[in-house]
């Protein structure tokens, strides 16, 4: 019986991966009653609607938005209508009110992104996965901790309470990527040890003989 219970517990802790940031955004469930909402991804100047919920009406394409992939020339924005009034979300901070109460693990991950963490698609095994139990979501996410030399990311395990939506615990798991460039003066590859100079002996003066 104990082995069976242990097996069930172990299975329940199996980590699942976030496929990509688009999929996370697609699973937003706004609390407010909306006429429609549209999620747009602009990639290298071309906008593409990746989700349309409700009966869409004409809107003005946006030329700026929030970026969930640092370093990539792309951004997202959301168009929504409430009571016939069309509004736009182009800044990450405005997602908080749009999401409202945390309804699922994807919204929990976005709430962590609002706190400076990131869903790192390039390092899914350490910084873009999760597991959950009846009480909490446990998110393994990344964070850029240095943009100087070296560029550095650390990964963390965040505990998000399902009832409150609050981050109740943060565990740091260490650095998972570190990039030095040629301009980094602290690049260990460029810091070659200089051979130590052997101190030269000062020649001894021969005392002069007295006549």
């Amino acid at each position: 019986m104990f082995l069976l219970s242990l097996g069930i517990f172990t299975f329940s802790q199996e980590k699942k991966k976030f496929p990509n940031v688009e999929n996370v955004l697609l699973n937003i469930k706004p609390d407010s009653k909306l006429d429609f909402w549209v999620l747009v991804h602009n990639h290298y100047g071309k906008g593409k609607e990746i989700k349309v919920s409700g009966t869409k009406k004409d809107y003005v394409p946006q030329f700026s938005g929030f970026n969930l992939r640092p370093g990539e020339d792309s951004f997202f924005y959301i168009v929504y209508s409430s009571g016939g009034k069309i509004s736009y979300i182009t800044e990450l901070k405005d997602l908080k009110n749009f999401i409202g109460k945390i309804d699922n693990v994807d919204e929990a991950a976005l709430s962590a992104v609002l706190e400076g963490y990131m869903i790192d698609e390039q390092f899914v095994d350490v910084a873009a996965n999760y597991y959950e139990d009846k009480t909490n979501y446990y998110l393994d996410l990344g964070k850029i901790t240095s943009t100087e030399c070296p560029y550095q990311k650390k990964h963390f395990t965040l505990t998000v309470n399902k009832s409150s939506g609050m981050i109740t615990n943060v565990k740091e798991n260490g650095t998972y990527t570190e990039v030095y460039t040629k301009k980094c003066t602290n690049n260990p590859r460029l810091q070659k040890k200089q051979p130590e100079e052997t101190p030269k002996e000062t020649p001894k003066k021969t005392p002069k003989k007295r006549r």
Side-chain angles (χ1 to χ4, degrees):
M1 182 68 181
F2 174 74
L3 290 174
L4 178 61
S5 300
L6 183 61
I8 293 172
F9 178 78
T10 303
F11 179 78
S12 67
Q13 304 304 304
E14 183 181 354
K15 293 184 178 182
K16 298 178 182 178
K17 298 175 181 178
F18 291 109
N20 50 55
V21 293
E22 284 95 340
N23 192 75
V24 171
L25 290 167
L26 287 172
N27 289 322
I28 291 176
K29 295 181 178 179
D31 288 346
S32 302
K33 187 176 180 181
L34 304 177
D35 306 322
F36 74 89
W37 73 278
V38 180
L39 174 64
V40 182
H41 181 207
N42 187 298
H43 187 63
Y44 292 99
K46 294 182 179 180
K48 180 181 178 183
E49 295 177 350
I50 57 178
K51 178 167 184 172
V52 178
S53 178
T55 305
K56 181 184 68 174
K57 292 184 180 179
D58 291 339
Y59 63 87
V60 179
Q62 302 296 294
F63 298 99
S64 65
F66 52 89
N67 188 355
L68 297 183
R69 295 189 179 104
E72 185 178 291
D73 189 11
S74 71
F75 59 86
F76 297 90
Y77 66 88
I78 291 173
V79 187
Y80 68 94
S81 173
S82 179
K85 180 185 177 182
I86 292 180
S87 300
Y88 301 86
I89 295 177
T90 58
E91 294 186 30
L92 196 59
K93 62 181 179 62
D94 295 328
L95 272 179
K96 187 172 184 178
N97 290 333
F98 184 74
I99 292 170
K101 182 179 178 296
I102 302 300
D103 297 307
N104 53 45
V105 70
D106 298 286
E107 291 188 345
L110 287 172
S111 72
V113 170
L114 291 169
E115 298 296 327
Y117 297 90
M118 64 183 296
I119 301 162
D120 199 336
E121 299 164 316
Q122 294 181 324
F123 297 89
V124 177
D125 291 334
V126 294
N129 61 74
Y130 68 93
Y131 66 92
E132 61 182 290
D133 57 26
K134 291 182 179 179
T135 307
N136 301 306
Y137 298 112
Y138 304 91
L139 314 173
D140 285 343
L141 301 176
K143 192 172 192 178
I144 298 172
T145 53
S146 174
T147 55
E148 300 299 326
C149 289
Y151 174 85
Q152 186 183 71
K153 295 178 188 176
K154 290 184 179 180
H155 58 126
F156 299 79
T157 300
L158 283 71
T159 303
V160 181
N161 182 269
K162 288 183 174 180
S163 298
S164 66
M166 300 294 291
I167 298 172
T168 58
N169 188 55
V170 177
K171 177 189 173 187
E172 183 181 325
N173 299 318
T175 302
Y176 67 93
T177 184
E178 198 169 48
V179 180
Y180 290 87
T181 67
K182 291 180 180 179
K183 293 181 180 179
C184 290
T185 56
N186 58 345
N187 188 337
R189 293 182 180 180
L190 299 178
Q191 292 177 349
K192 295 180 180 179
K193 287 186 177 181
Q194 297 294 332
E196 293 183 6
E197 291 185 2
T198 306
K200 294 180 181 179
E201 291 186 4
T202 305
K204 292 180 180 180
K205 291 182 179 180
T206 306
K208 292 180 179 180
K209 291 181 180 181
R210 288 182 180 180
R211 288 181 183 181

